[in-house]
């Protein structure tokens, strides 16, 4: 689930290019197997500029972590574990974390 002022969104809405809540600070969709994601992490995640906590563990994500994720300059806690990512980690994200 997504929590922004205590309302819920489904995954289709969450990563829709038209949905970019600038005030979303925490995103936890850990273990969201019901979504049957098994898809690539969308580049639009980089638009969530206020995120400081992101947990995408155990969701079946595949492929590379998009470079756009490096725009998350307020990130403090990040968990991509137990997915099937490949390639390199966006260096901009590592250098931008506090």
């Amino acid at each position: 689930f997504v929590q922004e002022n205590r309302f819920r969104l489904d995954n289709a809405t969450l990563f829709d290019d038209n949905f970019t809540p600038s005030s979303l600070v925490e995103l936890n969709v850990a273990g969201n197997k019901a979504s049957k994601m098994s898809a690539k992490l969308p580049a639009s995640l980089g638009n969530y500029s206020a995120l400081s906590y992101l947990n995408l563990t155990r969701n079946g994500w595949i492929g590379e972590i998009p470079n756009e994720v490096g725009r998350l300059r307020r990130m403090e806690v990040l968990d991509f574990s137990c997915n099937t990512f490949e390639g390199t980690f966006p260096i901009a994200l590592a250098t931008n974390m506090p």
Side-chain angles (χ1 to χ4, degrees):
F1 71 95
V2 176
Q3 189 172 342
E4 179 186 23
N5 298 326
R6 304 271 183 217
F7 75 87
R8 290 176 174 239
L9 304 169
D10 62 27
N11 288 326
T13 303
L14 176 62
F15 294 117
D16 182 318
D17 287 333
N18 296 318
F19 179 76
T20 55
S22 60
S23 62
L24 186 65
V25 175
E26 295 185 11
L27 176 58
N28 184 349
V29 290
N32 194 9
K33 289 288 190 180
S35 68
K36 306 223 184 313
M37 289 179 187
S38 294
K40 293 184 177 183
L41 194 61
S44 61
L45 184 60
N47 296 331
Y48 290 57
S49 58
L51 275 181
S52 64
Y53 175 90
L54 177 60
N55 188 342
L56 299 176
T57 190
R58 296 182 325 272
N59 277 295
W61 294 109
I62 60 172
E64 295 185 9
I65 298 171
N67 287 328
E68 290 82 357
V69 172
R71 295 193 308 238
L72 302 176
R73 300 187 188 282
R74 297 183 181 178
M75 190 58 57
E76 295 177 15
V77 176
L78 174 65
D79 191 345
F80 287 161
S81 64
C82 300
N83 288 292
T84 312
F85 289 117
E86 56 189 45
T88 59
F89 191 81
I91 192 69
L93 184 58
T95 57
N96 290 332
M97 290 182 79

